[in-house]
Amino acid sequence: MAGVCPWWLGWILASPVRKLFQDPARILAPYLRPGMTALEPGPGMGFFTLELARRVGPAGRVIAVDLQPQMLAGLRRRAERAGLLARIETRLATPEALGLGDLAGAVDFALAFAVVHELPDQARFFAEIRAALAPGGTVLFAEPAGHVKEPEFEASVAAGIAAGLRRAPGPAVARSRTALLALP
Ligand SMILES: C[S@@+](CC[C@H](N)C(=O)[O-])C[C@H]1O[C@@H](n2cnc3c(N)ncnc32)[C@H](O)[C@@H]1O
């Protein structure tokens, strides 16, 4: 566990410059369709969230769950400016849980980007995500390659598998290690 990223870094993580090497549209396009329910634990200020909301369309929804209220406030401001706030629900997590009980079996796609290494209990995290997934649901799991080394990433994937998910190869994303985790 690396400790929680300070909230002011949220502005830097949401910078448009990041699109030059991690383009949310290109990364997310294969996994989303209009009308889907998408979940994003640890969205920060929403670098990926706005694209999730665009892709699920007006009939879909995005649930963004973060530990830090400042991240969620920044996300809401950005979503409002983009005209996407109506599709996005923000939720405040506790260090112990995301609080997804009402979403059991409802989530078509979850994005866990650069968040799992910050969690105190990855087993509990993946158990919560698994319970929220709909049949056929998929998780795109990605970690920053610079500070999550291969063995640590593999240990996180193993936590996902132990929670009942199966692994498939993830997409190529610059500066990242990725895996797809899905219901068997
Ligand atoms: C490094 S940032 C990544 C933000 C975003 N996913 C991105 O790639 O730009 C990690 C985010 O995870 C959040 N986070 C850390 N621990 C969390 C927890 N237990 N539950 C929910 N969010 C958490 C942090 O507050 C922060 O917003």
Side-chain angles (χ1 to χ4, degrees):
M1 186 189 139
V4 175
C5 121
W7 70 264
W8 49 265
L9 262 183
W11 293 113
I12 294 168
L13 288 169
S15 158
V17 174
R18 187 174 168 196
K19 290 188 183 172
L20 297 175
F21 60 99
Q22 290 178 347
D23 178 8
R26 185 192 66 76
I27 294 168
L28 298 174
Y31 309 108
L32 290 150
R33 287 189 308 282
M36 277 185 163
T37 296
L39 169 69
E40 191 183 6
M45 292 194 186
F47 178 70
F48 289 101
T49 320
L50 301 193
E51 188 61 26
L52 290 171
R54 277 186 201 102
R55 295 210 168 250
V56 300
R61 66 172 176 149
V62 179
I63 300 100
V65 191
D66 206 285
L67 191 59
Q68 301 188 78
Q70 299 96 329
M71 293 291 197
L72 294 175
L75 189 165
R76 279 194 299 270
R77 271 195 297 276
R78 296 180 68 249
E80 191 160 27
R81 279 202 296 271
L84 294 166
L85 189 55
R87 303 175 198 176
I88 300 172
E89 180 194 333
T90 55
R91 291 189 184 187
L92 192 60
T94 66
E96 290 76 37
L98 296 167
L100 307 178
D102 59 316
L103 293 175
V107 170
D108 301 298
F109 176 74
L111 176 69
F113 204 105
V115 58
V116 171
H117 65 282
E118 295 189 3
L119 303 175
D121 188 340
Q122 297 185 12
R124 193 165 49 199
F125 171 83
F126 282 114
E128 259 195 291
I129 299 284
R130 187 199 191 283
L133 285 179
T138 304
V139 185
L140 172 50
F141 170 43
E143 291 282 49
H147 54 274
V148 177
K149 300 300 172 204
E150 188 71 22
E152 193 188 338
F153 182 73
E154 289 304 320
S156 296
V157 170
I161 292 169
L165 298 167
R166 74 177 156 73
R167 180 202 199 145
V173 177
R175 304 184 192 180
S176 306
R177 303 183 197 284
T178 73
L180 288 177
L181 299 170
L183 286 181

